[in-house]
Amino acid sequence: MIDTSPSLTLVAVIVVLVTVGVYLMLERSLSRVLLGIISFSNGINLLFLVAGGVAGGAPIIGQTPDGEMSDPLPQAMVLTAIVITLGMTAFLLAMAYRSWQLNEHDEVQDDLEDRRVARRAAADLAAFEDADVEVTTTLDEDAAGAHDETQGGDRP
Amino acid sequence: MTLHDLSWVVPLPVVLPLFAAGLALALWRHARAQRIISLVALSLVLVASVTLLIAADAGPIVLDVGGWAAPVGIDLVADRLSTLMLTVSSVVILCVLIYSLAQGIADGDEDTPIAIFHPTYLVLSAGVANAFLSGDLFNLYVGFEILLAASYVLLTLGGTGERIRAGTIYVIVSFLSSFVFLLAIALVYAATGTVNLAQLAERLPEVDPGVQLALQLLLLLAFGIKAAIFPLSAWLPDSYPTAPAPVTAVFAGLLTKVGVYAIIRTQTLLFPDGRADTILMWAALATMVVGILGAVAQNDIKRLVSFTLVSHIGYMIFGIALSTEQGLSAAIFYVAHHITVQTALFLVVGLMERRGGSTSLDQLGGLARIAPVLAILFFIPAMNLAGIPPLSGFLGKVGLLQAGVAMGTPLAYALVAGAIVTSLLTLYAVVKAWNKAFWQTAPVEPPPMTLPRGMTGSAGALVVVGIGLTVLAGPLYSYTERAAETLRDRDQYIFAVLPDGVRGTGQSPEVSQEVGESVDDDLVEEGGEG
């Protein structure tokens, strides 16, 4: 029977990486979210190493005795996951840059239409008005008046 | 095993679009060549899917990729459920492609970076097919990532401010769901020593029940975000409406359904004892009611239709949560119906935006007079969505209600009531949209224009497919019943993948046979430890 109890160091590192990752993903700035995503994904990648059991020799017949090989399958899966995360991270980085180009910040913005619906509901107004009854403001005019935290005045 | 020869068709829906995507990317300067490549590739995928649909009715067709035998190698499995999903999605993908081609030709390709559109769209198609055909949990993850990566690009096409804003939320939420999925895979592997679905079906029942439940809930959480089940659905109505109309249409039709498919597959194959059914039922009820209340509150037609999408995912989860053959059969029928009707509706809404110049219901008006064909194209799928007899939406809902009543528990009756209320509120929401967009006096008379024939034609084709599902509801229902039967009878799937209970049919040479045995030994020992 192979000993499959996980290494305490690995588990501790996973706990730290995932905690940091979750904390940073809750931030508004996209670059911090990105760092959080990298940390989180690395935590999960390490979890695959735990899932693979104890470390052993190279899994090549003739080089390592049968019982002492490490399990190659989780390592193959981790490699795939790392490559996927790399590509996605690059894309997210490009999006953060584009957001900075357009808005001069990379913060996740509010959905204006959602805000508008919520504002009208709070003011106990109808979600829509009939054109037959009265002239209404357009969606864009309303949206421009909606409050957006990311466009506050206290920005540097 | 007379159909064994057909196993070479199984990878085609994945390989063809991927190959075509590479070719289209290489020919990025030649827009016409790109169009022809996409059209040919996706037409061939449709042919392959229909072939598999007919062939898989006799039994699951399994391919061990690269000849590596199943539990260690990766296998693709085409059974009744996956081929039905594949066929419906191929039809939808092809129609949306024609729609976007017509749009590109009409607009002179200036607004959309079409050189990127075609390769990405093909990759999306390959990812969807891979997710449907995968017989391996990790390959399912890869399929999800392929289609998600393509969807990120399509959603932010052109990189305008609004699309970047919506895309940010979509991308981060998708990342999170992928991580949860990956976490679940790592834990599944730690507990069982395999990620092959057939082998998991054999090994998971031996795992400690508490661990089983944790794995089941983690997988449900990951797929629930993708399928937009209620507490996890807030990202969808915010991000979908900003994309170009054809992109929104294909996302709405397919991406959430891939999540639903993954839920059906894992719930029936890996966790057949249905311990998550109660929580799924509550989630289904909340999804239906909360989703449709969101639709009622909206004033933008794209957002309204997005909310109905969330709401109707609840019907499918309802059918799955019943975990009876009747419920599953109705859920599968509903998925097939909903893919076509929701995509058609989004395509028509795209046409309405084009004709009326806006998606706000305050700005639209009088479309019934100026575009009567458009009115018909909107009316049929809208009524179909609401479930007006005799359309397929009605048949799907009746199937679900019958299955719910047959179950007979108080919660099942609550869901039956919820489903009826949701159906009525859907009718209210779409009739409101109809009244305002088509019947009210236009606030601003839109300038006269003719809609490109290719766009109305492809949207019309999907509407006709929706009606076709109604006409062919009898055969389709008997097919979904057989599919549900296959799903409930897990041995059929396991036997197809692992004929001798241990290894697949891949032709491994002698050396890899030895390797396979020693790895198997390791896995068994680890499984015992877990």
Side-chain angles (χ1 to χ4, degrees), chain B residues 51-126:
Chain B
T51 313
L52 286 175
L53 178 74
I54 297 163
D57 203 15
I61 308 170
V62 180
L63 177 81
D64 290 314
V65 176
W68 290 87
V72 179
I74 295 168
D75 56 331
L76 296 177
V77 185
D79 70 347
R80 288 181 181 131
L81 172 67
S82 53
T83 52
L84 180 65
M85 294 292 104
L86 200 60
T87 308
V88 177
S89 63
S90 312
V91 171
V92 163
I93 285 177
L94 190 61
C95 281
V96 175
L97 177 74
I98 296 169
Y99 181 95
S100 65
L101 288 182
Q103 190 179 19
I105 291 168
D107 294 348
D109 295 348
E110 277 157 13
D111 295 337
T112 46
I114 202 133
I116 311 231
F117 174 79
H118 281 276
T120 324
Y121 191 75
L122 287 165
V123 169
L124 180 83
S125 157

Coordinates of all heavy atoms in Angstrom, one line a residue, chain B residues 51-126:
Chain B
T51 N -25.2 12.0 -38.7 CA -24.8 10.6 -38.8 C -24.7 10.0 -37.5 O -25.2 8.9 -37.2 CB -23.4 10.6 -39.5 OG1 -23.4 11.4 -40.6 CG2 -23.1 9.2 -39.9
L52 N -24.0 10.7 -36.5 CA -23.9 10.1 -35.2 C -25.2 10.0 -34.5 O -25.4 9.0 -33.8 CB -22.9 11.0 -34.4 CG -21.5 11.0 -34.7 CD1 -20.7 12.0 -33.9 CD2 -20.9 9.6 -34.5
L53 N -26.1 11.0 -34.7 CA -27.4 10.9 -34.0 C -28.1 9.6 -34.4 O -28.7 9.0 -33.6 CB -28.2 12.2 -34.5 CG -29.6 12.2 -33.9 CD1 -29.6 12.6 -32.5 CD2 -30.5 13.3 -34.7
I54 N -28.1 9.3 -35.7 CA -28.8 8.1 -36.2 C -28.0 6.9 -35.7 O -28.6 5.9 -35.2 CB -28.9 8.1 -37.7 CG1 -29.7 9.3 -38.2 CG2 -29.4 6.8 -38.2 CD1 -29.6 9.7 -39.6
A55 N -26.7 6.9 -35.8 CA -25.9 5.7 -35.4 C -26.0 5.4 -33.9 O -26.0 4.3 -33.5 CB -24.5 5.9 -35.9
A56 N -26.0 6.5 -33.1 CA -25.9 6.3 -31.6 C -27.2 5.8 -31.1 O -27.2 5.3 -29.9 CB -25.6 7.6 -31.0
D57 N -28.3 5.8 -31.9 CA -29.5 5.2 -31.4 C -29.4 3.7 -31.2 O -30.2 3.2 -30.4 CB -30.6 5.5 -32.4 CG -32.0 5.5 -31.8 OD1 -32.1 5.6 -30.5 OD2 -33.0 5.5 -32.5
A58 N -28.4 3.1 -31.8 CA -28.3 1.7 -31.7 C -27.4 1.4 -30.5 O -27.3 0.2 -30.0 CB -27.7 1.1 -32.9
G59 N -26.7 2.4 -29.9 CA -25.8 2.1 -28.8 C -24.7 3.2 -28.8 O -24.4 3.7 -29.9
P60 N -24.1 3.4 -27.7 CA -23.0 4.5 -27.6 C -21.9 4.1 -28.5 O -21.5 2.9 -28.6 CB -22.6 4.5 -26.2 CG -23.7 3.8 -25.4 CD -24.3 2.9 -26.3
I61 N -21.3 5.1 -29.2 CA -20.1 4.9 -30.1 C -18.9 5.5 -29.3 O -19.0 6.6 -28.9 CB -20.3 5.5 -31.4 CG1 -21.6 5.1 -32.1 CG2 -19.1 5.2 -32.3 CD1 -21.9 5.9 -33.3
V62 N -17.9 4.7 -29.1 CA -16.8 5.1 -28.3 C -15.5 5.1 -29.2 O -15.3 4.2 -30.0 CB -16.6 4.2 -27.1 CG1 -15.4 4.7 -26.3 CG2 -17.8 4.1 -26.3
L63 N -14.7 6.2 -29.0 CA -13.4 6.2 -29.7 C -12.4 6.5 -28.6 O -12.4 7.5 -27.9 CB -13.4 7.4 -30.7 CG -12.1 7.5 -31.4 CD1 -11.9 6.5 -32.5 CD2 -11.8 8.9 -32.0
D64 N -11.4 5.6 -28.6 CA -10.2 5.9 -27.7 C -9.3 6.7 -28.5 O -8.7 6.2 -29.5 CB -9.6 4.6 -27.2 CG -10.5 3.8 -26.3 OD1 -11.0 4.5 -25.3 OD2 -10.7 2.6 -26.4
V65 N -9.0 8.0 -28.1 CA -8.3 8.9 -28.9 C -6.8 8.4 -29.0 O -6.2 8.0 -28.0 CB -8.3 10.3 -28.3 CG1 -7.4 11.2 -29.1 CG2 -9.7 10.8 -28.4
G66 N -6.3 8.3 -30.2 CA -4.9 7.9 -30.5 C -4.7 6.5 -30.2 O -3.5 6.0 -30.1
G67 N -5.7 5.7 -30.0 CA -5.6 4.3 -29.8 C -5.2 3.9 -28.4 O -4.9 2.8 -28.1
W68 N -5.1 4.9 -27.5 CA -4.8 4.6 -26.1 C -6.1 4.1 -25.4 O -7.1 4.8 -25.4 CB -4.3 5.9 -25.4 CG -2.9 6.3 -25.9 CD1 -2.7 7.1 -26.9 CD2 -1.7 5.9 -25.3 NE1 -1.3 7.2 -27.1 CE2 -0.7 6.5 -26.1 CE3 -1.3 5.1 -24.2 CZ2 0.7 6.3 -25.8 CZ3 0.0 4.9 -24.0 CH2 1.0 5.5 -24.8
A69 N -5.9 3.0 -24.7 CA -7.1 2.4 -24.1 C -7.7 3.3 -23.0 O -7.0 4.0 -22.3 CB -6.7 1.0 -23.5
A70 N -9.0 3.1 -22.8 CA -9.8 4.1 -22.1 C -9.4 4.7 -20.7 O -9.2 5.9 -20.7 CB -11.3 3.7 -22.0
P71 N -9.2 3.9 -19.7 CA -9.1 4.6 -18.4 C -7.9 5.5 -18.4 O -7.9 6.6 -17.7 CB -9.0 3.5 -17.3 CG -9.0 2.3 -18.0 CD -9.1 2.5 -19.5
V72 N -6.8 5.1 -19.0 CA -5.6 6.0 -19.1 C -5.7 7.0 -20.2 O -5.4 8.2 -20.0 CB -4.3 5.1 -19.1 CG1 -3.1 6.0 -19.2 CG2 -4.3 4.2 -17.9
G73 N -6.0 6.5 -21.4 CA -6.2 7.4 -22.5 C -7.5 8.1 -22.5 O -8.3 7.9 -21.6
I74 N -7.6 9.1 -23.4 CA -8.9 9.9 -23.4 C -9.9 9.3 -24.4 O -9.4 8.8 -25.4 CB -8.5 11.3 -23.8 CG1 -7.7 12.0 -22.8 CG2 -9.8 12.1 -24.1 CD1 -7.0 13.3 -23.2
D75 N -11.1 9.2 -24.0 CA -12.1 8.7 -24.9 C -13.2 9.7 -25.2 O -13.5 10.5 -24.4 CB -12.7 7.4 -24.3 CG -13.4 7.6 -23.0 OD1 -12.9 8.5 -22.3 OD2 -14.3 6.9 -22.6
L76 N -13.7 9.6 -26.4 CA -14.9 10.4 -26.8 C -16.1 9.4 -26.9 O -15.9 8.4 -27.5 CB -14.6 11.0 -28.2 CG -13.5 12.1 -28.3 CD1 -13.3 12.6 -29.7 CD2 -13.8 13.2 -27.3
V77 N -17.2 9.8 -26.3 CA -18.3 9.0 -26.3 C -19.5 9.7 -27.0 O -19.9 10.8 -26.5 CB -18.7 8.6 -24.9 CG1 -19.9 7.6 -24.9 CG2 -17.5 8.0 -24.1
A78 N -20.1 9.1 -28.0 CA -21.3 9.6 -28.6 C -22.5 8.8 -28.2 O -22.6 7.7 -28.8 CB -21.1 9.7 -30.1
D79 N -23.2 9.2 -27.3 CA -24.4 8.4 -26.9 C -25.6 9.2 -27.4 O -25.5 10.3 -28.0 CB -24.5 8.0 -25.5 CG -24.7 9.1 -24.5 OD1 -24.6 10.3 -25.0 OD2 -25.0 8.9 -23.4
R80 N -26.8 8.8 -27.0 CA -28.0 9.5 -27.5 C -28.1 10.9 -27.1 O -28.4 11.8 -27.9 CB -29.3 8.7 -27.1 CG -29.5 7.4 -27.8 CD -30.7 6.7 -27.3 NE -30.9 5.4 -28.0 CZ -31.2 4.3 -27.3 NH1 -31.3 4.3 -26.0 NH2 -31.3 3.2 -28.0
L81 N -27.8 11.2 -25.8 CA -27.9 12.5 -25.3 C -26.9 13.4 -26.0 O -27.3 14.5 -26.5 CB -27.7 12.5 -23.8 CG -27.6 13.9 -23.2 CD1 -28.9 14.7 -23.2 CD2 -27.1 13.8 -21.7
S82 N -25.6 13.0 -26.0 CA -24.6 13.9 -26.6 C -24.8 14.1 -28.1 O -24.6 15.3 -28.5 CB -23.2 13.4 -26.3 OG -23.1 12.1 -26.7
T83 N -25.3 13.1 -28.8 CA -25.4 13.4 -30.3 C -26.7 14.2 -30.5 O -26.6 15.0 -31.4 CB -25.6 12.0 -31.0 OG1 -26.6 11.3 -30.4 CG2 -24.3 11.3 -31.0
L84 N -27.7 14.1 -29.7 CA -28.9 15.0 -29.9 C -28.4 16.5 -29.6 O -28.7 17.4 -30.4 CB -30.0 14.6 -28.9 CG -31.2 15.5 -29.0 CD1 -31.9 15.3 -30.4 CD2 -32.2 15.1 -27.9
M85 N -27.7 16.7 -28.5 CA -27.2 18.0 -28.2 C -26.3 18.5 -29.4 O -26.4 19.7 -29.8 CB -26.4 18.0 -26.9 CG -27.1 17.7 -25.7 SD -28.2 18.9 -25.2 CE -29.8 18.2 -25.7
L86 N -25.5 17.6 -29.9 CA -24.5 18.0 -30.9 C -25.3 18.4 -32.2 O -24.9 19.4 -32.8 CB -23.6 16.8 -31.2 CG -22.3 17.0 -31.9 CD1 -21.5 18.0 -31.1 CD2 -21.6 15.7 -32.1
T87 N -26.3 17.6 -32.5 CA -27.0 17.9 -33.8 C -27.8 19.3 -33.6 O -27.6 20.1 -34.5 CB -28.1 16.8 -34.0 OG1 -27.4 15.6 -34.0 CG2 -28.7 17.0 -35.4
V88 N -28.5 19.5 -32.5 CA -29.2 20.7 -32.4 C -28.2 21.9 -32.4 O -28.4 22.9 -33.0 CB -30.0 20.7 -31.1 CG1 -30.7 22.1 -30.9 CG2 -31.0 19.6 -31.1
S89 N -27.1 21.8 -31.7 CA -26.1 22.9 -31.6 C -25.5 23.1 -33.0 O -25.3 24.3 -33.4 CB -25.1 22.7 -30.6 OG -24.3 21.5 -30.8
S90 N -25.3 22.0 -33.8 CA -24.7 22.3 -35.1 C -25.6 23.0 -36.0 O -25.2 23.9 -36.8 CB -24.4 20.9 -35.8 OG -23.7 20.1 -35.0
V91 N -26.9 22.7 -35.9 CA -27.9 23.5 -36.7 C -27.9 24.9 -36.3 O -27.8 25.8 -37.2 CB -29.3 22.9 -36.5 CG1 -30.4 23.8 -37.1 CG2 -29.5 21.5 -37.0
V92 N -27.9 25.2 -35.0 CA -27.9 26.6 -34.5 C -26.6 27.3 -34.9 O -26.7 28.4 -35.4 CB -28.1 26.5 -33.0 CG1 -27.7 27.9 -32.4 CG2 -29.5 26.2 -32.6
I93 N -25.5 26.6 -34.8 CA -24.2 27.3 -35.1 C -24.2 27.7 -36.6 O -23.8 28.8 -37.0 CB -23.0 26.4 -34.7 CG1 -22.9 26.4 -33.2 CG2 -21.8 26.8 -35.4 CD1 -21.8 25.5 -32.7
L94 N -24.7 26.7 -37.4 CA -24.6 27.0 -38.9 C -25.6 28.2 -39.2 O -25.2 29.1 -40.0 CB -25.1 25.7 -39.6 CG -24.9 25.8 -41.1 CD1 -23.4 26.0 -41.5 CD2 -25.4 24.5 -41.8
C95 N -26.8 28.2 -38.6 CA -27.7 29.3 -38.9 C -27.2 30.6 -38.5 O -27.3 31.6 -39.2 CB -29.1 29.1 -38.2 SG -30.1 27.9 -39.0
V96 N -26.5 30.7 -37.3 CA -26.0 31.9 -36.8 C -24.8 32.4 -37.7 O -24.7 33.6 -38.0 CB -25.6 31.8 -35.3 CG1 -24.9 33.1 -34.9 CG2 -26.8 31.5 -34.5
L97 N -24.1 31.4 -38.2 CA -23.0 31.8 -39.1 C -23.5 32.5 -40.3 O -23.0 33.5 -40.8 CB -22.1 30.5 -39.5 CG -21.0 30.8 -40.5 CD1 -19.9 31.5 -39.8 CD2 -20.5 29.6 -41.2
I98 N -24.6 31.9 -40.9 CA -25.1 32.5 -42.2 C -25.6 33.9 -41.9 O -25.4 34.8 -42.6 CB -26.2 31.6 -42.7 CG1 -25.6 30.2 -43.1 CG2 -26.9 32.2 -43.9 CD1 -26.7 29.2 -43.5
Y99 N -26.3 34.0 -40.7 CA -26.8 35.3 -40.3 C -25.7 36.3 -40.2 O -25.7 37.5 -40.7 CB -27.5 35.1 -38.9 CG -28.1 36.4 -38.3 CD1 -29.4 36.7 -38.5 CD2 -27.3 37.2 -37.5 CE1 -30.0 37.8 -37.9 CE2 -27.9 38.3 -36.9 CZ -29.3 38.6 -37.1 OH -29.8 39.7 -36.5
S100 N -24.5 35.9 -39.5 CA -23.5 36.9 -39.4 C -22.8 37.2 -40.7 O -22.3 38.3 -40.9 CB -22.5 36.4 -38.3 OG -21.8 35.2 -38.8
L101 N -22.7 36.2 -41.6 CA -22.2 36.4 -42.9 C -23.0 37.5 -43.7 O -22.4 38.4 -44.2 CB -22.1 35.1 -43.7 CG -21.1 34.1 -43.3 CD1 -21.2 32.9 -44.3 CD2 -19.7 34.6 -43.4
A102 N -24.3 37.3 -43.6 CA -25.2 38.3 -44.3 C -25.0 39.6 -43.7 O -25.0 40.7 -44.4 CB -26.6 37.8 -44.2
Q103 N -24.9 39.7 -42.3 CA -24.7 41.0 -41.7 C -23.4 41.6 -42.1 O -23.3 42.8 -42.4 CB -24.7 40.8 -40.2 CG -24.7 42.1 -39.4 CD -24.7 41.8 -37.9 OE1 -24.4 40.7 -37.4 NE2 -25.2 42.8 -37.2
G104 N -22.3 40.8 -42.2 CA -21.0 41.3 -42.6 C -21.0 41.8 -44.0 O -20.5 42.9 -44.3
I105 N -21.7 41.1 -44.9 CA -21.8 41.5 -46.3 C -22.6 42.8 -46.4 O -22.2 43.8 -47.0 CB -22.4 40.5 -47.2 CG1 -21.5 39.3 -47.3 CG2 -22.8 41.0 -48.6 CD1 -22.1 38.0 -47.9
A106 N -23.7 42.9 -45.6 CA -24.5 44.1 -45.7 C -23.8 45.3 -45.1 O -23.9 46.4 -45.6 CB -25.8 43.9 -44.9
D107 N -23.0 45.1 -44.0 CA -22.3 46.2 -43.4 C -20.9 46.5 -44.0 O -20.2 47.4 -43.5 CB -22.2 46.0 -41.9 CG -23.5 46.0 -41.2 OD1 -24.5 46.4 -41.9 OD2 -23.6 45.5 -40.0
G108 N -20.5 45.7 -45.0 CA -19.2 46.0 -45.6 C -18.0 45.6 -44.7 O -16.9 46.1 -44.9
D109 N -18.3 44.8 -43.7 CA -17.2 44.3 -42.8 C -16.4 45.4 -42.1 O -15.2 45.1 -41.7 CB -16.2 43.4 -43.6 CG -16.9 42.2 -44.2 OD1 -18.0 41.9 -43.7 OD2 -16.3 41.5 -45.0
E110 N -16.9 46.5 -42.0 CA -16.1 47.6 -41.4 C -16.1 47.6 -39.9 O -15.1 47.9 -39.3 CB -16.5 49.0 -42.0 CG -15.9 49.2 -43.4 CD -16.7 50.2 -44.2 OE1 -17.6 50.9 -43.6 OE2 -16.5 50.3 -45.4
D111 N -17.3 47.3 -39.4 CA -17.5 47.5 -37.9 C -16.9 46.3 -37.2 O -16.4 46.4 -36.0 CB -18.9 47.6 -37.5 CG -19.5 48.9 -38.1 OD1 -18.7 49.8 -38.3 OD2 -20.7 49.0 -38.3
T112 N -16.9 45.1 -37.8 CA -16.5 43.9 -37.0 C -15.2 43.5 -37.6 O -15.0 43.3 -38.8 CB -17.5 42.8 -37.2 OG1 -17.9 42.7 -38.5 CG2 -18.8 43.1 -36.3
P113 N -14.2 43.2 -36.7 CA -12.9 42.6 -37.2 C -13.2 41.2 -37.6 O -12.9 40.3 -36.9 CB -12.0 42.7 -36.0 CG -12.9 42.9 -34.8 CD -14.3 43.3 -35.3
I114 N -13.6 41.0 -38.8 CA -14.1 39.7 -39.3 C -13.0 38.7 -39.4 O -13.2 37.5 -39.2 CB -14.9 39.8 -40.6 CG1 -15.8 38.7 -40.8 CG2 -14.0 40.0 -41.8 CD1 -17.2 39.1 -41.2
A115 N -11.7 39.2 -39.6 CA -10.6 38.3 -39.7 C -10.5 37.4 -38.4 O -10.1 36.3 -38.4 CB -9.3 39.0 -39.9
I116 N -10.8 38.0 -37.2 CA -10.7 37.3 -36.0 C -12.0 36.5 -35.7 O -12.0 35.5 -35.1 CB -10.6 38.3 -34.8 CG1 -9.5 39.3 -35.2 CG2 -10.4 37.6 -33.5 CD1 -8.4 39.5 -34.2
F117 N -13.1 37.0 -36.3 CA -14.4 36.4 -36.0 C -14.5 35.0 -36.4 O -14.8 34.1 -35.6 CB -15.6 37.2 -36.6 CG -16.9 36.6 -36.5 CD1 -17.6 36.7 -35.3 CD2 -17.5 35.9 -37.5 CE1 -18.8 36.1 -35.1 CE2 -18.7 35.3 -37.4 CZ -19.4 35.4 -36.2
H118 N -14.1 34.7 -37.6 CA -14.2 33.3 -38.2 C -13.4 32.3 -37.4 O -14.0 31.3 -37.0 CB -13.9 33.3 -39.7 CG -15.1 33.8 -40.5 ND1 -16.1 33.0 -40.8 CD2 -15.4 35.0 -40.9 CE1 -17.0 33.7 -41.5 NE2 -16.6 35.0 -41.6
P119 N -12.1 32.5 -37.2 CA -11.4 31.4 -36.5 C -11.9 31.2 -35.1 O -12.1 30.1 -34.6 CB -10.0 32.0 -36.4 CG -9.9 33.0 -37.5 CD -11.2 33.5 -37.7
T120 N -12.3 32.3 -34.4 CA -12.8 32.2 -33.0 C -14.1 31.5 -33.0 O -14.3 30.6 -32.1 CB -13.0 33.6 -32.4 OG1 -12.0 34.5 -32.9 CG2 -13.0 33.5 -30.9
Y121 N -15.0 31.8 -34.0 CA -16.3 31.1 -34.0 C -16.1 29.6 -34.2 O -16.8 28.8 -33.6 CB -17.1 31.8 -35.1 CG -18.5 31.4 -35.2 CD1 -19.4 32.0 -34.2 CD2 -19.0 30.5 -36.1 CE1 -20.8 31.6 -34.2 CE2 -20.4 30.2 -36.1 CZ -21.2 30.7 -35.2 OH -22.5 30.4 -35.2
L122 N -15.2 29.3 -35.1 CA -14.9 27.8 -35.3 C -14.4 27.2 -34.1 O -14.8 26.0 -33.8 CB -14.0 27.7 -36.5 CG -14.5 28.0 -37.9 CD1 -13.4 28.2 -38.9 CD2 -15.5 26.9 -38.3
V123 N -13.5 27.9 -33.4 CA -13.0 27.3 -32.1 C -14.1 27.1 -31.1 O -14.2 26.1 -30.4 CB -11.9 28.2 -31.6 CG1 -11.5 27.7 -30.2 CG2 -10.6 28.1 -32.5
L124 N -15.0 28.1 -31.0 CA -16.1 27.9 -30.1 C -16.9 26.7 -30.5 O -17.3 25.9 -29.6 CB -17.0 29.2 -30.3 CG -18.3 29.2 -29.4 CD1 -17.9 29.7 -28.0 CD2 -19.4 30.1 -30.0
S125 N -17.2 26.5 -31.8 CA -17.9 25.3 -32.2 C -17.2 24.0 -31.8 O -17.8 23.1 -31.3 CB -18.1 25.4 -33.7 OG -18.3 24.1 -34.2
A126 N -15.9 24.0 -31.9 CA -15.1 22.8 -31.5 C -15.2 22.6 -30.0 O -15.3 21.4 -29.6 CB -13.6 23.0 -32.0

